[in-house]
Amino acid sequence: MKTDNSDIRTVLSNGFYLIPRFQRPYSWDAENVQEFWDDIIRDGVDGYFIGSIVLYRMRAGHYGVVDGQQRLTTLTLLLCAIRNRMRANGSPDLADGIQGMIERPDINNQIQYVLQTETSHPYFQSRIQSNEPESTPATMLAEEQALQKAFDLLDELVAAAIKSIEQNPSNTEKKKKMAIKKELVKFRDRLLSLVVITITLPNSDDAYLIFETLNTRGKDLRLTDLVKNQMTRLVKSKNVTLDTMKSKWASMVEITTGSSAPISTDEYLHHFWLSRDEYLPAKKVFKVLKTKVRSVGEAQSFMDQLVDDAALYRTIFEPSYRKWLPEEKSVEEALTALRIFGVKQPVPCVLSLLREYHTTKKIKLKHLLRAICAIEKFHFVFTAVTSQRSSGGISQMYAAAGRRLFEAHDVITANGIIRALVEKLDEKTPHIGEFIALFRDITFTDQHTKRKRLVKYTLANFHRRTSPHSATDYSQMTIEHLIPQSEIGSDADAEVIGMLGNLILVPTKLNQELANKSFKKKQAILLKHGVPLPETVASAAIWDFNAVMDHTDELADIAYKKIWRIG
């Protein structure tokens, strides 16, 4: 291990630096960038110390970056911002001088960028580092967005620092240009005078191991970073033009993070693990994974499985991602319901269910429907209505079922696991008395819309029970208050008027016709248009607050004993 004290000018002049594929993407946010600017420019002095940079030797004059990539990238972004301002201020020679610190010829006289990155190539090079940057693409990946935001902020900070000079009315244009030039040179020199300790390792194997123990400016390494590091350490590319492991990893990330739902790759890796292996908290997964994925073959197999499951995982959070067959429609609806409930405990089990149905064909559609619908019904009662909180037993139950499904060798065994899961869910369902009492709390008014999706989901299920053979598009239905919202005079009124017992689903056009009419007029219009009404509503002579509360309790009883009954 070789250690040197250097300034940034020397570091950039003496080598070319590659941010390798096992590194995390650029992740500094506005707060990190602002702090960096304040430390080195606003409050800093020449020779300011910015910590250590850990490198490994690739070949003569070329180094891989193990620790320090966030700082080196941000330094380069700032150099590019200063370069652009120098050129705009009419100092092309100074701008070209900075460009010489960003890109220069190697020993073979081939022009290369001093800082190169595999993860954001070619965006970082062509959009920011280039002397003639390309226009910003219409769509950008997460890392590209982070780079652009950091660059834009640094450019704004440089502009703000010279703004007072530009707006000084006492200076001539020539004096302004000279003053701005002087200020930009000061920024450049302060940046290049920053002091670092460079620690150089002899090879990449040592670098991979050290990477696991380091973090940058207090940001702990995520599970994603550690697993990616392990995979790329074990499976090294033999051809620089074809990096299979990198391509597979990028495919997995693109599938998961490309979702309209907020999917975290860390959560995916944890749920993927729980659906196949022992129950562990996320922080302990990597320690065990390292002992189980130690060879090239094991790493390749693990990566293939990660890619295969990625689309299934995305489907759990974004059910429309998959094209469902007509007979699978109930599965899509159940997954959509789980998103409405906002539950994540069943995800490892659901991932296993989808895998064993779609990929391994270990379970049939009827088995999948039995399990997924039982999970939906359980969480409507357990989570959506009674708001129960699990101490961890529910999560462990789901993970255990998912793991056993993964390990099952035949349809009979898998079906037995599903049957046992359904029985456990039935046993853990809260009591009817608690359900009915809390069913009244599911409300919706124009002033209280937080539970609107849950209300519409609940009403849709009652509508299906009343009209089981109608092909209703519930996205085209709207919520109608039988006692109109115009009668709300207090919070107590709003609570009752917003109860499920006062709500029905109607077509949007009919909702406009009903408007704020009296109950009797609404009742007549609804019956005239053939809207299926609960018998209590259809036959009511009057409709007041007591009727609403009684009907709400009646619906709760039907919901618990019939619609969302598991057994």
Side-chain angles (χ1 to χ4, degrees):
M1 193 180 287
K2 180 183 176 184
T3 304
D4 289 307
N5 284 1
S6 308
D7 59 23
I8 291 298
R9 185 191 301 270
T10 303
V11 171
L12 297 180
S13 300
N14 287 355
F16 295 90
Y17 304 92
L18 174 70
I19 298 173
R21 60 197 176 105
F22 66 80
Q23 278 280 26
R24 73 178 83 184
Y26 183 77
S27 60
W28 272 18
D29 55 24
E31 183 179 352
N32 299 127
V33 173
Q34 182 70 56
E35 180 184 355
F36 188 77
W37 168 271
D38 292 344
D39 284 348
I40 68 170
I41 299 295
R42 192 192 71 179
D43 303 326
V45 294
D46 290 348
Y48 184 82
F49 177 64
I50 59 168
S52 62
I53 294 175
V54 182
L55 313 169
Y56 66 90
R57 190 175 184 275
M58 299 173 66
R59 60 184 185 277
H62 290 73
Y63 304 92
V65 181
V66 179
D67 186 53
Q69 66 128 330
Q70 306 286 337
R71 282 165 288 162
L72 284 174
T73 302
T74 308
L75 284 166
T76 302
L77 292 172
L78 182 50
L79 277 175
C80 292
I82 295 171
R83 172 203 64 196
N84 292 352
R85 290 290 168 178
M86 284 180 166
R87 197 173 301 284
N89 191 54
S91 301
D93 291 344
L94 291 177
D96 290 343
I98 287 184
Q99 190 63 23
M101 307 297 293
I102 296 169
E103 63 172 340
R104 55 183 169 78
D106 61 12
I107 191 67
N108 297 319
N109 202 34
Q110 294 181 330
I111 300 294
Q112 292 193 37
Y113 287 106
V114 173
L115 182 64
Q116 303 166 24
T117 175
E118 292 183 337
T119 57
S120 63
H121 179 84
Y123 183 87
F124 182 47
Q125 291 84 353
S126 64
R127 177 65 187 86
I128 297 174
Q129 288 181 294
S130 174
N131 228 342
E132 298 177 353
E134 298 177 1
S135 58
T136 303
T139 58
M140 296 189 292
L141 299 176
E143 182 179 15
E144 294 170 344
Q145 293 176 20
L147 284 165
Q148 190 62 53
K149 286 178 182 178
F151 177 73
D152 289 344
L153 176 55
L154 289 167
D155 185 58
E156 290 170 9
L157 290 169
V158 174
I162 61 176
K163 187 175 182 179
S164 60
I165 300 173
E166 293 175 326
Q167 295 180 341
N168 188 343
S170 64
N171 281 343
T172 63
E173 287 302 314
K174 184 177 180 180
K175 286 183 178 180
K176 286 181 184 179
K177 284 185 176 293
M178 290 299 295
I180 291 172
K181 176 180 176 181
K182 184 178 179 181
E183 190 74 0
L184 292 173
V185 167
K186 184 181 78 173
F187 293 164
R188 178 201 65 188
D189 292 346
R190 181 163 294 174
L191 185 62
L192 296 176
S193 73
L194 295 173
V195 174
V196 294
I197 295 175
T198 57
I199 302 169
T200 306
L201 303 164
N203 56 63
S204 62
D205 288 337
D206 292 335
Y208 280 105
L209 296 174
I210 286 183
F211 176 78
E212 294 176 13
T213 67
L214 295 174
N215 52 57
T216 303
R217 289 182 73 85
K219 284 184 175 279
D220 293 337
L221 294 177
R222 300 178 301 140
L223 178 60
T224 302
D225 302 317
L226 295 169
V227 173
K228 182 182 179 183
N229 171 45
Q230 178 75 351
M231 296 302 105
T232 51
R233 181 174 71 86
L234 291 171
V235 186
K236 297 177 181 178
S237 175
K238 296 178 180 179
N239 188 318
V240 294
T241 64
L242 180 62
D243 192 332
T244 304
M245 183 59 69
K246 179 183 175 183
S247 298
K248 288 180 179 179
W249 185 270
S251 174
M252 181 271 290
V253 171
E254 183 179 358
I255 292 170
T256 52
T257 61
S259 173
S260 58
I263 296 177
S264 156
T265 50
D266 270 14
E267 276 194 330
Y268 169 49
L269 289 168
H270 188 214
H271 289 150
F272 172 86
W273 176 270
L274 294 179
S275 74
R276 295 166 175 263
D277 220 306
E278 62 183 302
Y279 187 85
L280 293 171
K283 290 185 177 181
K284 293 186 178 181
V285 167
F286 181 67
K287 183 178 180 181
V288 177
L289 184 148
K290 280 200 305 181
T291 68
K292 296 191 173 187
V293 183
R294 295 182 294 182
S295 68
V296 172
E298 289 168 341
Q300 290 173 330
S301 176
F302 184 85
M303 195 66 237
D304 288 341
Q305 293 163 7
L306 265 183
V307 174
D308 289 343
D309 277 10
L312 299 176
Y313 188 80
R314 176 168 171 175
T315 300
I316 296 173
F317 292 88
E318 184 189 346
S320 61
Y321 180 64
R322 178 179 179 82
K323 186 174 182 180
W324 300 91
L325 298 174
E327 60 269 26
E328 297 172 335
K329 194 67 178 175
S330 294
V331 180
E332 181 183 13
E333 290 171 349
L335 293 176
T336 302
L338 293 177
R339 292 307 97 227
I340 293 172
F341 306 157
V343 292
K344 289 187 177 179
Q345 298 104 316
V347 169
C349 181
V350 174
L351 179 59
S352 256
L353 286 165
L354 294 178
R355 181 197 306 127
E356 307 316 325
Y357 170 68
H358 288 296
T359 307
T360 70
K361 311 297 182 183
K362 205 181 294 178
I363 63 174
K364 297 179 180 179
L365 178 59
K366 63 179 181 179
H367 302 142
L368 174 63
L369 282 170
R370 184 182 185 189
I372 204 78
C373 290
I375 293 171
E376 174 195 359
K377 291 175 179 179
F378 173 76
H379 280 288
F380 176 75
V381 177
F382 185 87
T383 305
V385 177
T386 63
S387 301
Q388 303 283 331
R389 292 292 179 266
S390 169
S391 60
I394 299 293
S395 296
Q396 292 187 40
M397 174 193 69
Y398 280 127
R403 183 175 67 254
R404 286 196 290 270
L405 278 170
F406 173 67
E407 295 170 347
H409 296 295
D410 52 56
V411 173
I412 295 174
T413 304
N415 193 25
I417 294 166
I418 289 173
R419 186 167 54 250
L421 172 66
V422 172
E423 290 172 357
K424 284 185 179 180
L425 291 173
D426 192 28
E427 292 170 4
K428 292 179 180 292
T429 300
H431 190 268
I432 187 172
E434 185 178 7
F435 179 83
I436 291 177
L438 293 170
F439 193 79
R440 286 186 176 187
D441 293 341
I442 302 177
T443 62
F444 164 73
T445 65
D446 289 343
Q447 284 69 46
H448 298 88
T449 61
K450 183 177 180 181
R451 307 190 85 177
K452 182 178 181 179
R453 290 182 69 207
L454 176 61
V455 165
K456 195 167 183 180
Y457 159 83
T458 308
L459 293 174
N461 276 275
F462 279 110
H463 189 277
R464 286 193 188 96
R465 183 173 183 271
T466 308
S467 306
H469 303 298
S470 68
T472 304
D473 182 358
Y474 291 103
S475 67
Q476 300 302 312
M477 302 284 275
T478 187
I479 300 170
E480 170 64 26
H481 293 75
L482 296 173
I483 299 177
Q485 296 184 75
S486 59
E487 295 191 21
I488 295 175
S490 67
D491 288 342
D493 292 349
E495 184 178 335
V496 177
I497 289 175
M499 284 183 183
L500 285 162
N502 190 51
L503 309 177
I504 59 171
L505 289 180
V506 298
T508 303
K509 289 184 179 179
L510 187 56
N511 178 267
Q512 295 168 354
E513 182 181 346
L514 295 167
N516 289 325
K517 291 180 174 64
S518 67
F519 170 73
K520 291 305 291 182
K521 289 182 179 180
K522 286 185 177 183
Q523 186 185 49
I525 293 170
L526 292 166
L527 291 172
K528 175 185 174 183
H529 285 276
V531 175
L533 297 176
E535 179 58 31
T536 302
V537 177
S539 61
I542 61 170
W543 196 255
D544 56 16
F545 284 7
N546 287 331
V548 169
M549 289 188 283
D550 289 344
H551 184 48
T552 301
D553 291 345
E554 178 187 6
L555 291 177
D557 190 70
I558 295 170
Y560 188 89
K561 293 179 180 178
K562 298 184 185 246
I563 301 178
W564 284 277
R565 181 181 175 182
I566 296 175

mmCIF file of all heavy atoms in Angstrom, residues 288-305:
data_model
loop_
_atom_site.group_PDB
_atom_site.id
_atom_site.type_symbol
_atom_site.label_atom_id
_atom_site.label_comp_id
_atom_site.label_asym_id
_atom_site.label_seq_id
_atom_site.Cartn_x
_atom_site.Cartn_y
_atom_site.Cartn_z
ATOM 1 N N VAL A 288 -24.428 -12.986 5.260
ATOM 2 C CA VAL A 288 -24.737 -14.389 4.985
ATOM 3 C C VAL A 288 -24.605 -14.679 3.491
ATOM 4 O O VAL A 288 -24.117 -15.741 3.094
ATOM 5 C CB VAL A 288 -26.159 -14.729 5.481
ATOM 6 C CG1 VAL A 288 -26.521 -16.169 5.148
ATOM 7 C CG2 VAL A 288 -26.263 -14.485 6.987
ATOM 8 N N LEU A 289 -25.034 -13.722 2.656
ATOM 9 C CA LEU A 289 -24.946 -13.916 1.212
ATOM 10 C C LEU A 289 -23.509 -14.198 0.779
ATOM 11 O O LEU A 289 -23.269 -15.049 -0.085
ATOM 12 C CB LEU A 289 -25.486 -12.678 0.496
ATOM 13 C CG LEU A 289 -25.562 -12.709 -1.033
ATOM 14 C CD1 LEU A 289 -26.733 -11.884 -1.516
ATOM 15 C CD2 LEU A 289 -24.271 -12.179 -1.676
ATOM 16 N N LYS A 290 -22.544 -13.521 1.393
ATOM 17 C CA LYS A 290 -21.134 -13.721 1.018
ATOM 18 C C LYS A 290 -20.683 -15.155 1.240
ATOM 19 O O LYS A 290 -19.814 -15.658 0.532
ATOM 20 C CB LYS A 290 -20.234 -12.781 1.829
ATOM 21 C CG LYS A 290 -20.184 -11.373 1.326
ATOM 22 C CD LYS A 290 -18.951 -10.631 1.842
ATOM 23 C CE LYS A 290 -18.851 -10.669 3.350
ATOM 24 N NZ LYS A 290 -17.665 -9.922 3.835
ATOM 25 N N THR A 291 -21.265 -15.809 2.241
ATOM 26 C CA THR A 291 -20.867 -17.196 2.535
ATOM 27 C C THR A 291 -21.532 -18.185 1.591
ATOM 28 O O THR A 291 -21.096 -19.332 1.488
ATOM 29 C CB THR A 291 -21.218 -17.566 3.988
ATOM 30 O OG1 THR A 291 -22.655 -17.611 4.130
ATOM 31 C CG2 THR A 291 -20.659 -16.547 4.964
ATOM 32 N N LYS A 292 -22.598 -17.759 0.920
ATOM 33 C CA LYS A 292 -23.340 -18.667 0.050
ATOM 34 C C LYS A 292 -23.076 -18.432 -1.435
ATOM 35 O O LYS A 292 -23.322 -19.322 -2.250
ATOM 36 C CB LYS A 292 -24.841 -18.538 0.334
ATOM 37 C CG LYS A 292 -25.223 -18.964 1.746
ATOM 38 C CD LYS A 292 -26.725 -19.093 1.910
ATOM 39 C CE LYS A 292 -27.063 -19.669 3.270
ATOM 40 N NZ LYS A 292 -28.497 -19.972 3.436
ATOM 41 N N VAL A 293 -22.623 -17.251 -1.772
ATOM 42 C CA VAL A 293 -22.306 -16.932 -3.166
ATOM 43 C C VAL A 293 -20.812 -16.630 -3.224
ATOM 44 O O VAL A 293 -20.375 -15.497 -3.045
ATOM 45 C CB VAL A 293 -23.133 -15.735 -3.682
ATOM 46 C CG1 VAL A 293 -22.840 -15.460 -5.149
ATOM 47 C CG2 VAL A 293 -24.625 -15.992 -3.482
ATOM 48 N N ARG A 294 -20.018 -17.681 -3.478
ATOM 49 C CA ARG A 294 -18.550 -17.539 -3.387
ATOM 50 C C ARG A 294 -17.824 -17.904 -4.672
ATOM 51 O O ARG A 294 -16.647 -17.632 -4.815
ATOM 52 C CB ARG A 294 -18.020 -18.396 -2.240
ATOM 53 C CG ARG A 294 -18.492 -17.958 -0.868
ATOM 54 C CD ARG A 294 -17.906 -18.814 0.232
ATOM 55 N NE ARG A 294 -18.402 -20.179 0.160
ATOM 56 C CZ ARG A 294 -18.075 -21.131 1.045
ATOM 57 N NH1 ARG A 294 -17.235 -20.854 2.037
ATOM 58 N NH2 ARG A 294 -18.579 -22.348 0.935
ATOM 59 N N SER A 295 -18.509 -18.529 -5.618
ATOM 60 C CA SER A 295 -17.847 -18.955 -6.849
ATOM 61 C C SER A 295 -18.447 -18.219 -8.041
ATOM 62 O O SER A 295 -19.505 -17.592 -7.941
ATOM 63 C CB SER A 295 -18.011 -20.464 -7.048
ATOM 64 O OG SER A 295 -19.376 -20.775 -7.315
ATOM 65 N N VAL A 296 -17.767 -18.329 -9.165
ATOM 66 C CA VAL A 296 -18.255 -17.695 -10.394
ATOM 67 C C VAL A 296 -19.624 -18.253 -10.757
ATOM 68 O O VAL A 296 -20.560 -17.518 -11.073
ATOM 69 C CB VAL A 296 -17.258 -17.929 -11.551
ATOM 70 C CG1 VAL A 296 -17.866 -17.453 -12.869
ATOM 71 C CG2 VAL A 296 -15.946 -17.205 -11.273
ATOM 72 N N GLY A 297 -19.763 -19.572 -10.698
ATOM 73 C CA GLY A 297 -21.033 -20.199 -11.051
ATOM 74 C C GLY A 297 -22.160 -19.764 -10.134
ATOM 75 O O GLY A 297 -23.282 -19.510 -10.596
ATOM 76 N N GLU A 298 -21.884 -19.688 -8.831
ATOM 77 C CA GLU A 298 -22.911 -19.265 -7.876
ATOM 78 C C GLU A 298 -23.316 -17.812 -8.123
ATOM 79 O O GLU A 298 -24.499 -17.459 -8.032
ATOM 80 C CB GLU A 298 -22.399 -19.439 -6.443
ATOM 81 C CG GLU A 298 -22.284 -20.896 -6.010
ATOM 82 C CD GLU A 298 -21.511 -21.074 -4.725
ATOM 83 O OE1 GLU A 298 -20.750 -20.149 -4.349
ATOM 84 O OE2 GLU A 298 -21.645 -22.137 -4.089
ATOM 85 N N ALA A 299 -22.349 -16.978 -8.436
ATOM 86 C CA ALA A 299 -22.637 -15.565 -8.710
ATOM 87 C C ALA A 299 -23.470 -15.420 -9.983
ATOM 88 O O ALA A 299 -24.418 -14.633 -10.039
ATOM 89 C CB ALA A 299 -21.343 -14.772 -8.831
ATOM 90 N N GLN A 300 -23.114 -16.172 -11.020
ATOM 91 C CA GLN A 300 -23.865 -16.099 -12.273
ATOM 92 C C GLN A 300 -25.307 -16.568 -12.081
ATOM 93 O O GLN A 300 -26.251 -15.964 -12.589
ATOM 94 C CB GLN A 300 -23.167 -16.933 -13.355
ATOM 95 C CG GLN A 300 -21.853 -16.320 -13.825
ATOM 96 C CD GLN A 300 -21.091 -17.234 -14.767
ATOM 97 O OE1 GLN A 300 -21.198 -18.461 -14.674
ATOM 98 N NE2 GLN A 300 -20.301 -16.654 -15.662
ATOM 99 N N SER A 301 -25.472 -17.647 -11.329
ATOM 100 C CA SER A 301 -26.812 -18.171 -11.058
ATOM 101 C C SER A 301 -27.625 -17.182 -10.241
ATOM 102 O O SER A 301 -28.806 -16.930 -10.543
ATOM 103 C CB SER A 301 -26.705 -19.505 -10.313
ATOM 104 O OG SER A 301 -27.982 -19.982 -9.954
ATOM 105 N N PHE A 302 -26.999 -16.616 -9.222
ATOM 106 C CA PHE A 302 -27.684 -15.630 -8.367
ATOM 107 C C PHE A 302 -28.124 -14.428 -9.196
ATOM 108 O O PHE A 302 -29.254 -13.943 -9.062
ATOM 109 C CB PHE A 302 -26.735 -15.191 -7.250
ATOM 110 C CG PHE A 302 -27.355 -14.256 -6.248
ATOM 111 C CD1 PHE A 302 -28.082 -14.739 -5.171
ATOM 112 C CD2 PHE A 302 -27.208 -12.880 -6.380
ATOM 113 C CE1 PHE A 302 -28.657 -13.877 -4.242
ATOM 114 C CE2 PHE A 302 -27.780 -12.007 -5.472
ATOM 115 C CZ PHE A 302 -28.502 -12.514 -4.388
ATOM 116 N N MET A 303 -27.263 -13.965 -10.087
ATOM 117 C CA MET A 303 -27.575 -12.802 -10.911
ATOM 118 C C MET A 303 -28.704 -13.113 -11.893
ATOM 119 O O MET A 303 -29.597 -12.286 -12.110
ATOM 120 C CB MET A 303 -26.321 -12.361 -11.672
ATOM 121 C CG MET A 303 -26.414 -10.969 -12.267
ATOM 122 S SD MET A 303 -26.505 -9.681 -11.013
ATOM 123 C CE MET A 303 -28.030 -8.886 -11.456
ATOM 124 N N ASP A 304 -28.689 -14.305 -12.468
ATOM 125 C CA ASP A 304 -29.765 -14.699 -13.378
ATOM 126 C C ASP A 304 -31.108 -14.710 -12.656
ATOM 127 O O ASP A 304 -32.130 -14.270 -13.195
ATOM 128 C CB ASP A 304 -29.480 -16.085 -13.970
ATOM 129 C CG ASP A 304 -28.355 -16.066 -14.997
ATOM 130 O OD1 ASP A 304 -28.045 -14.975 -15.515
ATOM 131 O OD2 ASP A 304 -27.777 -17.137 -15.267
ATOM 132 N N GLN A 305 -31.104 -15.217 -11.432
ATOM 133 C CA GLN A 305 -32.335 -15.264 -10.644
ATOM 134 C C GLN A 305 -32.818 -13.861 -10.289
ATOM 135 O O GLN A 305 -34.029 -13.591 -10.311
ATOM 136 C CB GLN A 305 -32.107 -16.087 -9.380
ATOM 137 C CG GLN A 305 -31.867 -17.566 -9.642
ATOM 138 C CD GLN A 305 -31.246 -18.289 -8.453
ATOM 139 O OE1 GLN A 305 -31.099 -17.727 -7.372
ATOM 140 N NE2 GLN A 305 -30.865 -19.533 -8.656
#
